Amino acid sequence: ATTLGAAAAQSGRYFGAAVAAGKLGDSTYSTILRREFNSITPENEMKWDATEPNRNSFNYTNGDRIAGQASSQGARLRGHALLWHQQQPGWAQSLSGSTLRSAMINHVTQVATHYRGQVYAWDVVNEAFADGSGGGRRDSNLQRTGNDWIEAAFRAARSADPNAKLCYNDYNTDGVNAKSTGIYNMVADFKNRGVPIDCVGFQSHLSNSVPGDYQANLARFANLGVDVQITELDISGSNQAAVYGNVTRACLAVSRCTGITVWGIRDSDSWRTGENPLLFDNSGNKKAAYTAVLDALNSA
Ligand code: G3I
């Protein structure tokens, strides 16, 4: 196959990109988007600050533009992200306790209901675990509402959109380490107790290398009975193309690794300013990293 999406589809997978609604009018951008990608994640448009700028008053304008783009090109939609300690509206940042708990559950319910039937997978909870060697939860206003906030969010999302896959998503979880093991233990516990969870997202913001146990880490989560997805891939450094190939092959080697999303299209679209971590250059030309990914997908 000659495009990323078609090549991934040969093994039943998707290849996606994070998309900004404000760039859909850029013809270089939208031409690549339509040609190459069969999954779309809104880069910012479905986050809490965007969708509920005032309490219980929802704005889906830009989220709906992303959903409409996905629908019009026959791409899957990865919803991102229902609950996160960042990009909360100011009113939520100032709440705590049971008031925040009910506001966050209402947020999950309302947004997941609005997009019911359109979303392939939702990042229900994003980045809730701490960095470092502790393996525990990150301190946040959400966490301070009680350690059960994550399962409460997943249950609310399941009720609102029973057909969406529900994912936990995080970064620095790419190898077997304290943080990924903390998440592993949470997922195992959820599966044991029947808390609804279907997938784990590995953001994979990488710098010139990938952990040697990357594939093994994906596989141990898959063995818990969840799908795994590479959700925000970008890779800096001189070894970029080779590392992109390695990451792609690792996903292909794990049958429950259902797809890969890169976090932007051109280098100039990346949040990692100046690092050029994506598959297309600023003019929209395919880079060596693109060829490495396409070749890996085609040799699966
Ligand atoms: O929309 C406003 C605009 O009106 C204003 O003029 C401008 C001035 O700063 O800011 C604009 O908002 C920015 C927004 O991106 C849209 O461009 C925010 O300041 C900026 O903070 C925001 O950054 C996003 C970041 O998440 C927020 O934490 C990045 O685009 C986005 O790529 C990044 O994505 C995250 C994932 O959601 C979760 N994982 C990590 C990843 C990278 O940080």
Side-chain angles (χ1 to χ4, degrees):
T2 59
T3 67
L4 300 169
Q10 293 171 142
S11 64
R13 293 178 172 84
Y14 66 82
F15 204 97
V19 168
K23 292 177 180 166
L24 291 172
D26 174 332
S27 64
T28 304
Y29 183 87
S30 59
T31 297
I32 300 170
L33 174 61
R34 279 193 303 268
R35 186 185 71 216
E36 297 287 344
F37 297 100
N38 55 10
S39 177
I40 291 178
T41 303
E43 188 174 4
N44 289 296
E45 293 79 353
M46 292 188 192
K47 292 172 181 174
W48 200 347
D49 60 349
T51 51
E52 195 181 1
N54 297 292
R55 191 172 176 184
N56 212 27
S57 171
F58 292 84
N59 182 343
Y60 296 115
T61 306
N62 285 324
D64 286 353
R65 291 173 69 195
I66 301 281
Q69 178 66 33
S71 168
S72 76
Q73 66 177 79
R76 300 186 204 204
L77 180 62
R78 281 197 90 265
H80 174 84
L82 292 170
L83 292 177
W84 187 22
H85 65 282
Q86 289 187 28
Q87 281 179 285
Q88 294 180 8
W91 64 265
Q93 294 177 41
S94 70
L95 298 182
S96 63
S98 59
T99 316
L100 176 58
R101 175 64 72 99
S102 55
M104 65 200 236
I105 296 302
N106 181 59
H107 179 75
V108 170
T109 298
Q110 295 296 323
V111 177
T113 298
H114 177 81
Y115 288 108
R116 174 165 52 206
Q118 299 184 65
V119 174
Y120 162 69
W122 261 116
D123 291 330
V124 178
V125 170
N126 192 46
E127 300 176 10
F129 276 71
D131 291 311
S133 57
R137 300 287 183 85
R138 171 194 300 280
D139 179 53
S140 72
N141 61 338
L142 305 172
Q143 179 65 25
R144 290 191 291 272
T145 71
N147 200 53
D148 63 340
W149 73 276
I150 297 181
E151 62 190 87
F154 275 81
R155 291 188 201 279
R158 178 69 95 226
S159 297
D161 188 352
N163 293 320
K165 289 183 183 292
L166 305 181
C167 302
Y168 176 83
N169 190 53
D170 216 325
Y171 68 91
N172 286 351
T173 52
D174 310 306
V176 176
N177 58 36
K179 186 176 182 180
S180 64
T181 298
I183 295 163
Y184 177 89
N185 291 336
M186 179 187 74
V187 174
D189 173 56
F190 280 14
K191 296 300 281 186
N192 280 334
R193 292 191 295 113
V195 178
I197 184 166
D198 306 303
C199 37
V200 176
F202 298 83
Q203 294 185 10
S204 304
H205 297 294
L206 299 173
S207 296
N208 213 35
S209 66
V210 62
D213 53 9
Y214 187 77
Q215 180 182 318
N217 191 47
L218 298 177
R220 72 169 173 155
F221 279 87
N223 287 336
L224 292 174
V226 291
D227 289 346
V228 295
Q229 302 170 351
I230 297 167
T231 51
E232 304 184 14
L233 182 61
D234 48 23
I235 305 170
S236 62
S238 56
N239 221 13
Q240 179 182 66
V243 180
Y244 262 108
N246 290 340
V247 168
T248 304
R249 282 186 288 274
C251 178
L252 293 167
V254 176
S255 60
R256 291 198 74 152
C257 183
T258 59
I260 299 173
T261 297
V262 286
W263 204 244
I265 296 179
R266 301 161 299 194
D267 286 330
S268 50
D269 301 315
S270 175
W271 68 293
R272 297 171 70 174
T273 308
E275 294 191 60
N276 299 326
L278 293 172
L279 301 179
F280 295 87
D281 71 16
N282 296 354
S283 304
N285 300 307
K286 298 169 182 174
K287 296 166 57 181
Y290 172 96
T291 307
V293 171
L294 185 68
D295 288 351
L297 293 170
N298 277 328
S299 56

